[in-house]
Amino acid sequence: MRLLFSLLSGGLFGVGLMVSGMTDTVKVQGWLDVFGAWDPTLAFVMGGAILPMFLAWQFSKVTTTSVLGTSIPTPSDPALDRRLIVGSSIFGFGWALAGLCPGPAIASLSFGGLGGLSFMIAMLVGMYVQPSIRHFGLGARGIA
Amino acid sequence: MIPTDWIYGLIGGLMIGAAAAMFLLVNGRIMGASGILGGLIDGSGKANTKERLAFVAGAIGVPAIVYLAIGAPATNISNNMIVLILAGLAVGIGTRMANGCTSGHGVCGISRFSVRGIVATLIYLLAGGVTLLVLRQWLGLI
């Protein structure tokens, strides 16, 4: 059952990304291009996505056990650190450069052609090497 | 902007949020694309490898079925390999360093008013805006 609902969540996530326009790199770059021809579409995507999740977090305060019996995580909110700030900056640069972030890269793998596949492989390599970065405490895993 | 774009954006967004809500309330897990994938890649997600694989299979497979059945929207992905590889490396390294991407920090973090989620989102949006300002508006490279 856990696997079935993981598959369903992934499927709904993927189709949502496809419908919303997040897999269109021009639209994503248009959203990030705040100093150019700004395209506000993605504000509706973010707003639409945050609403159900806000309700889910509220619900999780009432019921602390998930439908399949495991406890619902209650993430702490640790202090801001260098990893969060530097990592988010590097991510923002890459996201703007190609117009793809991890979710849409996964969702568009079947129709993104060689370009989408190349981005995906490079992204996986980046994920693999990140923990071994030895400088300025920016490697390894922090909170999961 | 075509007036219907935002309607698709809103509908797609609600689907993304519903997927995240289902993953939280049914499986008891937080839906972050970079976390789910990264845990498979660097071995940190060994405890629930199958669940991660099932999520990724759904996120690749169901859009593939939609694509084969009715087609997919244009991706307009760059054909410049240097851009794609540099961007992919940056997204992979950056999201794992920051422990989250648009889905984890943006959707799951902001919706519970997480300071880290909100700050991460503001930073990657700003970094993205500056990147386009420099590379597109000033240098005309992308």
Side-chain angles (χ1 to χ4, degrees):
Chain A
M1 283 304 271
R2 298 193 68 80
L3 297 185
L4 176 68
F5 278 96
S6 296
L7 188 82
L8 288 174
S9 300
L12 187 60
F13 176 55
V15 176
L17 289 167
M18 207 175 170
V19 171
S20 65
M22 288 288 290
T23 56
D24 183 350
T25 58
V26 165
K27 209 166 276 179
V28 171
Q29 287 180 328
W31 152 255
L32 292 172
D33 197 7
V34 283
F35 306 105
W38 190 57
D39 176 352
T41 308
L42 264 66
F44 291 91
V45 184
M46 286 296 279
I50 287 170
L51 181 67
M53 202 48 196
F54 167 74
L55 296 175
W57 284 121
Q58 295 306 308
F59 191 75
S60 76
K61 288 178 184 167
V62 186
T63 326
T64 51
T65 309
S66 72
V67 175
L68 295 175
T70 45
S71 61
I72 294 175
T74 47
S76 56
D77 201 2
L80 305 174
D81 56 18
R82 196 190 284 161
R83 290 162 42 95
L84 184 87
I85 291 161
V86 177
S88 296
S89 304
I90 297 172
F91 164 46
F93 161 74
W95 190 25
L97 190 58
L100 282 170
C101 57
I106 298 170
S108 66
L109 204 59
S110 63
F111 53 90
L114 187 62
L117 183 65
S118 309
F119 177 90
M120 172 64 83
I121 293 169
M123 182 175 84
L124 296 179
V125 170
M127 288 179 166
Y128 183 77
V129 301
Q130 183 274 327
S132 54
I133 294 173
R134 291 276 174 265
H135 305 283
F136 314 113
L138 294 172
R141 266 296 73 68
I143 33 99
Chain B
M1 176 176 92
I2 306 160
T4 52
D5 274 14
W6 67 269
I7 299 175
Y8 284 112
L10 189 62
I11 294 169
L14 286 167
M15 291 169 76
I16 295 165
M22 176 157 73
F23 207 43
L24 184 76
L25 297 178
V26 178
N27 284 49
R29 298 191 49 84
I30 293 171
M31 191 194 79
S34 61
I36 292 170
L37 204 54
L40 287 171
I41 295 302
D42 64 16
S44 63
K46 277 202 181 101
N48 37 40
T49 300
K50 284 181 187 169
E51 209 172 352
R52 290 166 190 266
L53 284 173
F55 183 90
V56 174
I60 296 174
V62 179
I65 293 167
V66 173
Y67 163 56
L68 293 173
I70 58 169
T75 56
N76 296 305
I77 291 174
S78 166
N79 48 23
N80 184 332
M81 279 295 154
I82 297 167
V83 162
L84 290 169
I85 289 168
L86 191 61
L89 285 172
V91 170
I93 292 172
T95 54
R96 292 304 279 159
M97 191 181 287
N99 262 311
C101 58
T102 332
S103 47
H105 282 312
V107 177
C108 298
I110 292 179
S111 59
R112 65 181 184 87
F113 309 109
S114 151
V115 174
R116 281 178 66 91
I118 292 166
V119 169
T121 303
L122 290 174
I123 292 174
Y124 62 62
L125 289 177
L126 181 68
V130 170
T131 301
L132 282 165
L133 176 69
V134 174
L135 297 183
R136 176 170 286 177
Q137 306 298 333
W138 291 352
L139 302 174
L141 289 175
I142 55 170

